[in-house]
Amino acid sequence: MSDTLKLPFYIKLTVVLVCLIALFVIFYFGQEIISPVLLSLLFAIMLRPVVTFFIKKLRFPHIIAVVFAIVLFLTLFLGIFYFISLQISDMANDWDKIKSNFLYHVEHIQQLIRDNFHVSKKEQNEILTKATKDSLNTGKQLVGNTLTSFADILLNATLVPIYTFLFLYYQNLFITFLSKIVTPENHKKLREVLFQIKIAVQSYITGLVFEMMAVATLTTIGFYFIGVQYFILLGIITGILNLVPYIGILFAGILSIVVSLSGSTDLSIVVGVIVVNLIVQFIDNNILVPMFVNSKVQINALVSIIGIIIGNVLGGITGMFLAIPMIAILKVIFDRIDSLEPWGYLFGDDLPKTYEWHKIKIPRYSYQSTTTVLDTKTEVVEPTVAGNTPNIFTEVVPPITPENNPDEDKNSTNDSSEK
C-alpha cells in the first residue's frame, strides 16, 4: 500500500501559489543579501575548472589554488575597468568640444521645432525652465538614491569576491550537506543534477564571454569605419551591456547615439551608428547567440523574457543578469524530477523540425515531438481495398503487440476460419 498522500488539484494549486508568493516576497525584500550570494555562486561554478587545473596540473594546495583563481579573476576584471577609465578620461579631456557640439545640436533641434510646430525659442526655453524647476524638487532624492546605489555597488564589489572564495573553499562541505538531505537511493540522481548544473552554468557564462568579445569587436570596427570618435570605448560598453539580454543593447544604442552627437556636428553619423548596431545585432541574434548561448542553454524566448522582467523587479540589473542562469538551473532540476518534468519541458526550446525545399529550410509544423507523445483518442480510419492508406491511429499510439493482447491469436484464428 502506498504511503503517498494524494491531494485534490485545487489544494496542490493553492500550495504552489503560496510557495511562489513566499519566494517572490523573500527575494524582493532580501535582494541585497540574495543577489550577491547568487552572483558569487555563478562565479564559483565558473572558476571551479581553474581551481581544478591549479590543483591537478600545478600541484597547488586547495586553498592556494582558490586564492590564485580569485586573484586571476579580479586582475582580469580590474584590467578591463582600468582600460575603460582611460578611455573615459580621454573623453573628459575633450569636454569643451563635446559641450559646444551638444549646444549646436540643441540649437538645431530648437530650430526644427520652431519651423515645424511653430513654437518659438522663447517658449521652448520657458518650458525647459519650468521643467527644470519641477525637477529640483526631486533632485535631493535623486542624489540620495544615486549615492545609495553607489554604496551598494561598492559593498557588492567587496562581498562578491569573498563569497566566491568561500563557495570554492567549502565546495565539498556543500556537496556533503546535499548528500545528507537526500536519501541514498537518490544520490546518483543528485550527482547527475550537480554535474549538469555545472556544465550548464559554465557553458552559458563561457558563451556569454565569447559573445561579449565578438559584439565588442564588431561594434568597434563598425564605429571606426563610420568615423565615431570614441569607437573603442563605445564598442567595449556595447559588448558589456549586451550581457543583459534584450535590454542592454537598447541602452548601448542610445548611449552610442548621444556620444556620437556630442563628438561631431554631422547628423548623418547617427544613421551610421544605427546601421552598425542593426548589423551587429543581426549577426549576434542569428549567428553568435545560437552558436555560443542557445546551444548551451536550451530555454525558449518567452520564458527568457518573462524571467528577465521578473529578475528586474526582484533584483534590478543584477537580477536581469541572473535570470537566465537561474532558469537554466531550475530546468536541469525539473528535468530530473518526475513530478516536475513537464515544467522543465515548458522551459525548454523544442522547436519544430525543418525540411529542405529547393535549398531553403522551412519549419515542419506537423512534427512529432522527440520527448513526449500525446496519447489521445483518435478516429481510426480503415485501410482501403488497395491497402495503401495508413492507419491514423497507429501514427499516434503504437500498435498493440501479441504480448500486450493475448486475444490477438484467437481473433486471427477466427478471421482465418471466416475466410
Side-chain angles (χ1 to χ4, degrees):
M1 181 177 178
S2 177
D3 295 333
T4 304
L5 181 62
K6 295 184 178 180
L7 299 175
F9 172 75
Y10 61 89
I11 296 181
K12 293 181 180 179
L13 180 61
T14 303
V15 172
V16 171
L17 291 177
V18 170
C19 292
L20 289 176
I21 293 173
L23 287 176
F24 285 144
V25 171
I26 291 173
F27 273 95
Y28 183 77
F29 289 100
Q31 58 178 299
E32 296 181 358
I33 301 174
I34 298 175
S35 294
V37 171
L38 293 179
L39 196 61
S40 303
L41 178 61
L42 293 183
F43 289 151
I45 296 175
M46 181 183 67
L47 294 176
R48 192 169 182 270
V50 180
V51 176
T52 304
F53 173 80
F54 286 150
I55 293 175
K56 292 185 177 181
K57 300 297 182 180
L58 302 181
R59 303 297 181 181
F60 284 1
H62 180 69
I63 186 171
I64 301 300
V66 172
V67 170
F68 267 77
I70 298 297
V71 170
L72 182 63
F73 173 72
L74 290 177
T75 302
L76 180 62
F77 178 79
L78 292 176
I80 296 174
F81 180 78
Y82 177 72
F83 182 78
I84 293 177
S85 64
L86 289 179
Q87 296 293 319
I88 294 177
S89 64
D90 292 339
M91 182 185 297
N93 293 331
D94 298 333
W95 174 250
D96 294 335
K97 179 182 176 182
I98 293 173
K99 183 178 179 181
S100 63
N101 290 335
F102 182 77
L103 294 176
Y104 171 81
H105 290 300
V106 170
E107 182 74 18
H108 184 71
I109 291 173
Q110 286 183 339
Q111 184 70 26
L112 290 176
I113 293 175
R114 188 187 66 177
D115 295 340
N116 293 279
F117 298 98
H118 305 290
V119 179
S120 64
K121 291 184 179 180
K122 182 179 179 180
E123 294 174 345
Q124 295 179 36
N125 292 329
E126 291 177 355
I127 294 174
L128 291 175
T129 303
K130 183 179 179 181
T132 304
K133 290 182 180 179
D134 294 336
S135 62
L136 289 176
N137 296 328
T138 58
K140 294 182 179 180
Q141 182 179 358
L142 180 61
V143 172
N145 293 334
T146 303
L147 293 176
T148 304
S149 300
F150 184 72
D152 292 339
I153 292 174
L154 291 179
L155 180 62
N156 291 334
T158 305
L159 290 177
V160 168
I162 296 175
Y163 288 158
T164 305
F165 170 81
L166 295 176
F167 275 123
L168 290 172
Y169 184 68
Y170 292 112
Q171 58 181 357
N172 293 330
L173 176 67
F174 296 124
I175 295 175
T176 305
F177 164 74
L178 293 176
S179 65
K180 287 181 178 294
I181 63 175
V182 175
T183 56
E185 56 269 17
N186 292 323
H187 281 180
K188 181 179 179 181
K189 184 174 292 186
L190 174 63
R191 288 194 299 268
E192 181 182 357
V193 169
L194 293 178
F195 178 77
Q196 293 298 328
I197 288 175
K198 181 189 71 172
I199 295 299
V201 173
Q202 290 177 356
S203 301
Y204 176 74
I205 295 180
T206 304
L208 278 185
V209 171
F210 280 108
E211 182 195 5
M212 178 188 68
M213 295 172 60
V215 169
T217 303
L218 292 174
T219 306
T220 301
I221 295 173
F223 286 169
Y224 170 76
F225 281 110
I226 65 174
V228 177
Q229 185 174 359
Y230 310 103
F231 59 93
I232 297 179
L233 175 63
L234 294 177
I236 295 175
I237 292 177
T238 302
I240 294 175
L241 290 179
N242 195 56
L243 293 176
V244 180
Y246 304 108
I247 307 297
I249 193 62
L250 179 62
F251 288 101
I254 296 174
L255 179 63
S256 299
I257 293 174
V258 172
V259 174
S260 63
L261 285 176
S262 301
S264 174
T265 58
D266 189 4
L267 289 176
S268 63
I269 200 170
V270 176
V271 179
V273 170
I274 296 175
V275 170
V276 169
N277 281 324
L278 290 177
I279 294 175
V280 171
Q281 281 307 297
F282 178 82
I283 296 174
D284 181 39
N285 295 328
N286 293 277
I287 299 177
L288 300 179
V289 172
M291 182 183 300
F292 295 121
V293 181
N294 288 349
S295 61
K296 312 299 181 182
V297 181
Q298 297 293 335
I299 300 175
N300 64 69
L302 177 62
V303 174
S304 299
I305 295 174
I306 295 175
I308 290 170
I309 295 174
I310 295 175
N312 183 33
V313 173
L314 297 179
I317 297 178
T318 305
M320 295 171 68
F321 175 76
L322 292 171
I324 302 299
M326 289 297 106
I327 294 175
I329 292 175
L330 290 177
K331 185 179 185 303
V332 170
I333 297 174
F334 291 168
D335 285 341
R336 283 151 185 83
I337 298 178
D338 295 337
S339 58
L340 299 176
E341 193 274 335
W343 295 98
Y345 178 79
L346 180 64
F347 286 2
D349 192 12
D350 189 12
L351 290 176
K353 297 179 179 179
T354 59
Y355 68 96
E356 189 170 323
W357 178 73
H358 292 287
K359 297 183 179 181
I360 300 176
K361 289 186 177 181
I362 302 177
R364 186 189 298 275
Y365 292 100
S366 59
Y367 76 109
Q368 293 289 338
S369 175
T370 58
T371 55
T372 56
V373 177
L374 185 62
D375 187 6
T376 57
K377 292 183 179 180
T378 308
E379 182 180 0
V380 180
V381 179
E382 297 295 335
T384 59
V385 178
N388 293 326
T389 305
N391 192 333
I392 297 178
F393 184 77
T394 60
E395 294 182 359
V396 179
V397 182
I400 300 176
T401 60
E403 296 177 356
N404 298 329
N405 189 6
D407 297 333
E408 185 176 355
D409 295 335
K410 180 179 178 180
N411 294 335
S412 54
T413 304
N414 294 335
D415 294 340
S416 300
S417 60
E418 290 176 2
K419 291 181 179 178

